[in-house]
Amino acid sequence: MLCNAVLAELDRGQCLQCLLYILSQLAVSSSSSRSDLYPGLKGSCSTALLYSFNMNKIQGFHINSPLSESLPMSRRLGTPVYLKMESSQPSGSFKIRGIGHLVQQLAGPSSKGVICSSGGNAGLATAYAARKLSIPATIIVPSSSPRLVVEKLQDLGAMVKVVGKVWDDAYAEALRLSKSENLVLVPPFDHPLVWEGHTSIIRELKASLPSRPGAVVLSVGGGGLFCGVMQGLDEVGWGDVPVLCMETHGADCLNAAIKAGRLVTLPDITSEAKCLGAKTACSKAFEYSKRPNIISELVTDRQALQAVELFLDEERVLVELACGASLAAVYSGVIQRLQDEGRLPAPLGPLVVIVCGGSSVSLAQLQHLRTVCK
């Protein structure tokens, strides 16, 4: 059959342009005319090819990250807990999905380069994408950025400049340089292309989960991951799935906005979870937060650190403190409390925790956090 032949060609990576043309024609043609256009593409085969085309519409530099059930976490909650391991991405975090997509769309081979303000993961994703495209990358980092991150950025060939104390200071400088040097500005979280790139997480979940999730847990900094997850949930028909947004005290711009009923700017970032260190959430994240299925919760740095340590013991993976905020939803009893309060159903369907990354942590950094997290 033509279907098998096409799939064989796809597996070998051949005739891709021809295949995409066929699929695009299938997508725009009516269901009644598809069999006339391509007699071999019928029934489930046509559906599978179209779904594959939709799955691959976001072309970037990310991988389809592992999705695995955590037996220790599942025992704790009494429901299956699935870990979406974004820490396994080439740049070390989920950021490569959205930023890789944006860089591909906005910065071509003739570009003078890209510039990004980041205390860690966004900068690493930008530098990685730029390296793949063989274009220059300039990364503006605040002084709070771990030395480990600066070294990784330099290893990727990026020019690194330290400006200001927090991300907002670095962003102002990146904005200035993007205009004066004609560089493509890469926003770490506040851009529709970034959100679109992050939707690929949900498409992968749709293809891999045994059933509809009972809830999705994620960490929130400026809100880019949250926006991408919400957009993705809407696209796959899961728009009413509860989403638990986790932040640490002192890096809680979204939670503060929800409580105030408007966007607010934090006076400072006092949390040690520096990768959550945006003083103001993006407006799209605030809009999404008004939905009834969105829950915002805070944990202390100490709780996030304890979650990082338990995760290392149980799953043998070291992640950063910002990621510990989402893990703490399980380890610190947040999920159980929300169930007791009636804000999450009990029993709960499969819980998905997005393990967002670990590029800014090392054993030395972990030792330091043990001395400063309270």
Side-chain angles (χ1 to χ4, degrees):
M1 290 178 63
L2 176 60
C3 177
N4 293 334
V6 170
L7 288 175
E9 292 302 309
L10 178 60
D11 288 341
R12 291 198 296 267
Q14 298 172 352
C15 299
L16 182 57
Q17 289 182 334
C18 179
L19 174 61
L20 291 178
Y21 173 76
I22 292 173
L23 290 175
S24 66
Q25 294 302 302
L26 284 169
V28 300
S29 64
S30 66
S31 58
S32 61
S33 64
R34 286 174 186 168
S35 59
D36 296 331
L37 283 169
Y38 307 103
L41 289 173
K42 294 182 179 179
S44 61
C45 177
S46 174
T47 302
L49 279 172
L50 286 169
Y51 186 71
S52 175
F53 176 68
N54 194 42
M55 280 283 291
N56 290 294
K57 73 175 185 177
I58 305 299
Q59 297 294 328
F61 304 111
H62 64 274
I63 64 169
N64 186 332
S65 61
L67 178 70
S68 59
E69 182 181 358
S70 169
L71 295 180
M73 285 187 171
S74 297
R75 283 195 297 268
R76 284 174 182 270
L77 289 187
T79 194
V81 177
Y82 290 91
L83 305 172
K84 187 59 171 165
M85 298 299 294
E86 291 300 289
S87 55
S88 66
Q89 291 293 348
S91 68
S93 81
F94 75 94
K95 291 281 190 179
I96 192 59
R97 292 179 182 270
I99 287 177
H101 180 56
L102 180 142
V103 169
Q104 278 195 318
Q105 295 296 312
L106 300 185
S110 61
S111 169
K112 290 186 177 181
V114 293
I115 186 166
C116 179
S117 56
S118 169
N121 292 315
L124 288 166
T126 301
Y128 181 86
R131 183 181 178 89
K132 284 291 186 180
L133 293 174
S134 299
I135 59 176
T138 301
I139 312 298
I140 312 298
V141 302
S143 60
S144 57
S145 303
R147 181 63 196 170
L148 174 65
V149 172
V150 174
E151 291 173 353
K152 286 184 176 182
L153 288 168
Q154 292 170 336
D155 288 344
L156 286 168
M159 177 186 295
V160 182
K161 296 183 179 181
V162 180
V163 176
K165 180 182 178 183
V166 295
W167 173 81
D168 302 73
D169 302 327
Y171 177 73
E173 177 65 6
L175 184 61
R176 184 188 70 81
L177 287 175
S178 69
K179 295 176 179 177
S180 65
E181 300 186 18
N182 196 25
L183 302 174
V184 174
L185 180 66
V186 180
F189 55 83
D190 194 1
H191 196 285
L193 285 174
V194 172
W195 310 332
E196 184 177 62
H198 293 335
T199 65
S200 57
I201 293 179
I202 302 301
R203 296 189 182 281
E204 291 171 16
L205 290 176
K206 177 75 170 180
S208 302
L209 277 176
S211 63
R212 175 189 176 94
V216 175
V217 182
L218 51 81
S219 296
V220 173
L225 175 60
F226 175 45
C227 289
V229 165
M230 293 303 296
Q231 182 176 328
L233 289 172
D234 286 343
E235 289 176 358
V236 303
W238 289 349
D240 59 344
V241 168
V243 177
L244 178 54
C245 299
M246 299 297 299
E247 297 172 277
T248 54
H249 289 280
D252 50 350
C253 61
L254 181 63
N255 185 268
I258 293 171
K259 289 177 178 176
R262 57 179 175 79
L263 284 174
V264 298
T265 299
L266 301 177
D268 197 5
I269 301 298
T270 57
S271 170
E272 292 297 323
K274 302 305 180 186
C275 287
L276 299 181
K279 293 166 72 174
T280 309
C282 66
S283 58
K284 188 65 174 179
F286 180 60
E287 287 179 26
Y288 278 129
S289 73
K290 298 176 183 178
R291 294 190 181 185
N293 57 315
I294 306 306
I295 302 172
S296 172
E297 290 288 329
L298 302 179
V299 292
T300 64
D301 281 355
R302 173 58 65 178
Q303 288 173 314
L305 176 60
Q306 289 171 343
V308 168
E309 294 176 324
L310 281 168
F311 193 71
L312 179 59
D313 284 342
E314 294 182 353
E315 306 296 334
R316 303 168 304 283
V317 177
L318 179 59
V319 296
E320 60 199 27
L321 196 64
C323 187
S326 57
L327 299 173
V330 176
Y331 288 129
S332 295
V334 175
I335 300 292
Q336 295 93 325
R337 174 173 57 78
L338 292 172
Q339 289 178 303
D340 293 341
E341 295 172 355
R343 298 169 66 192
L344 281 177
L348 185 66
L351 181 74
V352 175
V353 181
I354 299 178
V355 183
C356 54
S359 56
S360 65
V361 69
S362 63
L363 288 178
Q365 177 70 3
L366 186 61
Q367 283 293 111
H368 170 71
L369 290 172
R370 287 169 176 160
T371 66
V372 297
C373 288
K374 306 189 185 302

